Amino acid sequence: MNDGMLNPMAGGNEPAPETPNPGGPINPMPPAGPSFDSGSSGFGMDKIFKIMTGVLGFLLIILIILVIVYAGKANKTKTYIEGVVKTNVDQKVKAAQDSCEQQKKDLLEKPWKEYKARDEFGAFKFQVPKNWSQYEHFDMSENEPYQLYFNPDTVQFDSSVKKDHAALEVGISKNLYDNEVKDLKSSFGGILNSKTEEKITISNFTGTIFIYKDQDLNRNIGVIMLPYRDRTLFIKTDDYDKWNDQYFSKFYKSFSITP
């Protein structure tokens, strides 16, 4: 308090200015905080937005460029792969065609191939049509332990006679040659008739060729019997009229038999 005191600086007549009470309340100050001056040299919100927009635009441009480049490479890769696949397919098709043509050529030039029998029966050899099917039956316990069949199609089984038959056949019988000839001749009065019988020599083995009518098959059968190692070797066709000229005669003349 300054009641009654004069301010010497005011000429002695004015009271001295009031001194704040050190123990009294202090007027509150407003809280300090950041201030932005749009006219100052610092970054404003509009500048930050512009920078972010520019960066995003730049990234978008880069992304578009990458997509275009990738799409171009993908198209090139697809074209390349399709070209490689087509080339490989064409090469395989051409190779298959060439192989087929070569097989046809080989078949026309050499339609026959050599066949070798089992070692158990002397490994005799003969020629058969190259592209015919073949079937082998081997059982030493049977009376005919070895039978071979060659046919343009599958080998057929005739249920009426219960026996396989084919265009060209080879068989080995355990019976002696004379007995097999006798048995065949005795059957001519039954289901077999219209026979012809001639001597024939094949690979220094002399035997007999029979041509006769088989009543069950209703066609002429051709069969050659040769004495062979205390056994009988059969060379046969199930249809003499159909197969003889082109196949059967060449077939039996090709035999190479060792004693």
Side-chain angles (χ1 to χ4, degrees):
M1 298 181 59
N2 56 2
D3 293 344
M5 294 184 63
L6 298 177
N7 185 355
M9 297 299 294
N13 295 325
E14 295 182 4
E18 183 176 356
T19 301
N21 185 3
I26 301 174
N27 293 331
M29 299 294 292
S35 62
F36 296 96
D37 185 1
S38 59
S40 67
S41 60
F43 289 108
M45 290 298 294
D46 56 341
K47 289 186 177 181
I48 295 175
F49 177 77
K50 290 179 181 180
I51 292 173
M52 293 178 64
T53 302
V55 171
L56 291 176
F58 177 75
L59 293 176
L60 181 61
I61 293 173
I62 295 298
L63 180 61
I64 293 173
I65 293 174
L66 291 176
V67 170
I68 294 174
V69 171
Y70 175 78
K73 289 184 176 181
N75 289 334
K76 290 181 180 179
T77 302
K78 180 180 179 182
T79 302
Y80 172 75
I81 293 174
E82 290 177 348
V84 171
V85 171
K86 185 178 185 303
T87 300
N88 291 337
V89 170
D90 291 343
Q91 289 177 349
K92 291 184 180 298
V93 169
K94 187 178 185 304
Q97 291 175 343
D98 292 343
S99 176
C100 183
E101 291 299 323
Q102 185 62 43
Q103 290 179 9
K104 289 180 181 178
K105 182 180 178 182
D106 293 342
L107 189 60
L108 290 174
E109 294 178 353
K110 298 178 180 180
W112 294 70
K113 66 178 181 180
E114 184 177 80
Y115 191 95
K116 181 181 178 181
R118 284 177 173 262
D119 292 337
E120 292 88 341
F121 301 102
F124 53 87
K125 301 175 182 178
F126 52 90
Q127 297 285 320
V128 294
K130 186 181 294 184
N131 61 335
W132 282 21
S133 62
Q134 61 189 48
Y135 169 69
E136 177 187 275
H137 178 76
F138 174 67
D139 188 348
M140 291 298 294
S141 65
E142 295 185 1
N143 186 51
E144 294 185 8
Y146 193 41
Q147 295 170 306
L148 299 170
Y149 300 90
F150 305 91
N151 209 55
D153 300 314
T154 56
V155 176
Q156 300 180 27
F157 176 82
D158 194 281
S159 59
S160 61
V161 295
K162 297 182 180 180
K163 190 174 182 180
D164 296 317
H165 60 87
L168 304 175
E169 302 177 20
V170 178
I172 298 288
S173 170
K174 291 181 179 179
N175 294 331
L176 295 175
Y177 167 76
D178 291 338
N179 292 336
E180 288 290 355
V181 171
K182 182 179 178 180
D183 289 343
L184 181 62
K185 286 184 177 181
S186 65
S187 66
F188 286 157
I191 63 172
L192 307 174
N193 52 39
S194 303
K195 67 173 180 66
T196 62
E197 175 184 341
E198 296 179 3
K199 290 295 181 181
I200 187 171
T201 300
I202 298 176
S203 191
N204 297 320
F205 287 81
T206 299
T208 309
I209 179 171
F210 294 94
I211 302 170
Y212 56 88
K213 179 68 173 293
D214 188 308
Q215 297 288 344
D216 292 326
L217 295 177
N218 194 30
R219 53 196 176 203
N220 289 325
I221 302 298
V223 59
I224 297 172
M225 296 183 184
L226 299 175
Y228 180 66
R229 298 186 178 188
D230 296 330
R231 291 183 170 91
T232 305
L233 173 63
F234 289 87
I235 306 172
K236 187 177 180 181
T237 176
D238 71 343
D239 193 335
Y240 183 84
D241 298 329
K242 181 177 182 180
W243 305 115
N244 179 61
D245 292 339
Q246 190 173 358
Y247 296 102
F248 185 57
S249 60
K250 182 177 177 64
F251 176 58
Y252 69 73
K253 291 176 183 178
S254 71
F255 273 72
S256 176
I257 309 170
T258 57

